[in-house]
Amino acid sequence: MKKRVAILGSTGSIGTQALEVIRENPDHFEVEVLTACNNINLLSKQVKEFNPNTVVIANESRYNELIDQLEDLPVKVYAGNDAIAQIVEMDTIDVVLTAMVGYSGLLPTIKAIKSGKTIALANKETLVVAGEIIQKLAFHHKVSIYPVDSEHSAIFQCLVGEGQNVIEKIYLTASGGPFRGKDLEFLKTATKENALKHPNWDMGAKITIDSATMMNKGLEAIEARWLFGLTPTQIEVVVHPQSIIHSAVQFEDGSIKAQMGLPDMKLPILYALGFPNRVKTEFPRFSFWDYPELNFEKPDLTNFRNLALAFEAMDKCGNMPCILNAANEIAVEAFLNDKIGFCEMTQIIEQSMQKINYIKHPELDDLINTDKETREFSKTLIKK
Ligand code: MN3
């Protein structure tokens, strides 16, 4: 039986790599639904190759153009975020890959869980913003969430076969990004061109900037907390510049299991889509002889304060991670648009965390309001 996949965010970095995985494994997977935000040219190319049943463009103003490009094809075409949320309920979907960027992934993921779909989660912001709500919903609807993020896939792989064995702690590895080892003087004048050059991973713009500021690792710590039911003190970040060990789990007997491999997102994507089976691939193999040294360092929380702020938000819990995430999305966008400098991103996040009302036990509506309020406030901090 082929697994029928819905890809939310098919034109982004994870979406396009997921389609490569599906193209290489036509006996295992087929595409049922594709959705994208704006990129109708790539989306219609994907429709022509993969023949999905349904396609949705989030930006409604591009609907007519998309219809024109697809007019002779037997595919249903819809537009708007509400359509994306509805489409995940389709009976013919086996697994929903959530690969949209940022907060926009939250509501469709909730809809997919409520309709009982297996989730391959590539959108970490969903768990950062509403991890507790998502986990309760998944439990209630008996839905499995398989991580696509490489570190979380590593931890998940280490846990296979461990049954009820207790996790003592996890080691979340970080490459350190393009600015590892740099001081504050350098960071103050760091440019977006340099920030966008990640040494190991090929990813979208938002996550690449998050890697440069180390916010990505902070978001991943919060993501790991909810995925694996951990407390913040059980999560340790280890800088490992070669990105070969993708993360590790330490058990109560002191034993550590780690998952290794060359850094390629197609591996964790394939593992999440194929679980519990491993699918044979022709991907290049890791060789120990190419890596005579693997290095490990403590993260620099002074110059990369975003990571410290994320741990602070995780400790406070409630709506604080939602505030952190919304302020970060606004800050990253402003940095990418040359409106603020590299270090100002931290200031915007920190001030938002101080200013926005803290709610200890937020409902989903509280989080939706917090997100909106934080975005409005953090925009007022951007001068140009
Ligand atoms: Mn990651």
Side-chain angles (χ1 to χ4, degrees):
M1 277 284 282
K2 287 188 199 182
K3 279 193 191 170
R4 295 162 298 184
V5 184
I7 303 180
L8 310 188
S10 67
T11 57
S13 174
I14 295 287
T16 51
Q17 292 181 81
L19 286 172
E20 284 177 43
V21 164
I22 293 172
R23 179 190 296 126
E24 290 158 11
N25 296 283
D27 299 339
H28 291 90
F29 309 109
E30 63 188 329
V31 176
E32 190 64 15
V33 173
L34 294 175
T35 83
C37 190
N38 276 307
N39 191 342
I40 54 164
N41 292 330
L42 181 54
L43 183 61
S44 53
K45 226 176 115 191
Q46 292 174 340
V47 169
K48 284 165 195 159
E49 179 179 352
F50 291 96
N51 263 317
N53 176 300
T54 303
V55 62
V56 187
I57 184 81
N59 182 345
E60 292 172 48
S61 70
R62 312 221 61 186
Y63 177 69
N64 287 333
E65 277 172 272
L66 182 63
I67 288 276
D68 285 347
Q69 294 197 16
L70 298 176
E71 66 183 338
D72 301 326
L73 296 169
V75 57
K76 300 185 195 88
V77 185
Y78 301 100
N81 282 314
D82 291 345
I84 294 177
Q86 279 169 27
I87 228 70
V88 295
E89 295 177 342
M90 279 168 51
D91 292 340
T92 50
I93 298 171
D94 297 314
V95 49
V96 177
L97 174 67
T98 64
M100 49 251 280
V101 178
Y103 175 84
S104 63
L106 178 62
L107 296 178
T109 306
I110 288 178
K111 239 354 204 318
I113 293 172
K114 284 185 173 167
S115 44
K117 304 298 180 199
T118 297
I119 308 287
L121 186 91
N123 177 261
K124 67 191 75 176
E125 290 87 347
T126 293
L127 284 180
V128 171
V129 171
E132 195 165 6
I133 292 172
I134 295 284
Q135 280 315 53
K136 278 185 189 153
L137 265 182
F139 182 80
H140 180 78
H141 292 275
K142 299 187 177 65
V143 159
S144 302
I145 299 178
Y146 301 133
V148 170
D149 210 345
S150 61
E151 297 78 0
H152 305 75
S153 175
I155 294 163
F156 182 60
Q157 293 181 53
C158 292
L159 292 174
V160 169
E162 291 295 341
Q164 297 304 307
N165 289 334
V166 173
I167 299 173
E168 193 166 80
K169 69 188 289 186
I170 63 163
Y171 294 95
L172 209 55
T173 52
S175 69
F179 298 153
R180 181 175 65 89
K182 300 293 187 200
D183 61 13
L184 213 51
E185 282 313 299
F186 176 94
L187 294 176
K188 274 180 186 158
T189 56
T191 64
K192 99 177 157 194
E193 286 71 26
N194 290 333
L196 284 170
K197 277 183 206 141
H198 196 281
N200 303 338
W201 294 99
D202 176 15
M203 306 178 291
K206 198 265 174 180
I207 184 175
T208 305
I209 299 301
D210 282 343
S211 294
T213 65
M214 292 293 282
M215 177 57 92
N216 183 49
K217 214 45 58 179
L219 299 177
E220 288 181 351
I222 302 172
E223 179 186 14
R225 174 205 192 146
W226 297 117
L227 274 173
F228 306 112
L230 305 167
T231 61
T233 53
Q234 287 176 293
I235 303 169
E236 179 150 2
V237 173
V238 179
V239 175
H240 164 43
Q242 293 90 357
S243 298
I244 295 299
I245 295 182
H246 298 311
S247 278
V249 180
Q250 180 173 305
F251 295 94
E252 283 190 311
D253 59 356
S255 179
I256 296 176
K257 276 167 87 174
Q259 187 263 338
M260 301 170 64
L262 292 174
D264 181 348
M265 280 310 297
K266 288 202 295 187
L267 257 168
I269 292 168
L270 180 59
Y271 190 75
L273 293 180
F275 187 83
N277 302 314
R278 289 191 184 271
V279 178
K280 187 175 165 55
T281 76
E282 302 302 326
F283 299 158
R285 279 10 181 190
F286 169 77
S287 160
F288 280 94
W289 323 128
D290 292 340
Y291 291 85
E293 256 186 76
L294 295 178
N295 303 99
F296 307 95
E297 298 164 7
K298 281 204 162 154
D300 174 357
L301 296 178
T302 315
N303 291 331
F304 295 88
R305 255 191 70 64
N306 281 8
L307 182 56
L309 289 174
F311 268 83
E312 196 183 309
M314 173 160 58
D315 271 332
K316 293 212 169 112
C317 207
N319 66 339
M320 198 54 89
C322 176
I323 297 170
L324 173 96
N325 178 69
N328 182 56
E329 287 189 21
I330 295 298
V332 171
E333 194 190 310
F335 177 69
L336 284 171
N337 291 325
D338 299 312
K339 289 188 173 154
I340 58 171
F342 189 81
C343 294
E344 283 167 86
M345 289 191 275
T346 304
Q347 293 161 19
I348 288 172
I349 297 160
E350 191 157 26
Q351 288 181 40
S352 300
M353 287 170 68
Q354 285 159 1
K355 177 79 181 182
I356 303 297
N357 260 344
Y358 175 65
I359 305 169
K360 200 167 171 47
H361 298 290
E363 306 281 339
L364 183 60
D365 285 343
D366 298 320
L367 294 173
I368 292 169
N369 287 332
T370 297
D371 178 79
K372 196 166 156 259
E373 235 179 277
T374 307
R375 280 167 202 272
E376 283 164 9
F377 173 73
S378 33
K379 279 180 189 160
T380 66
L381 302 174
I382 297 162
K383 281 155 199 91
K384 268 186 252 175

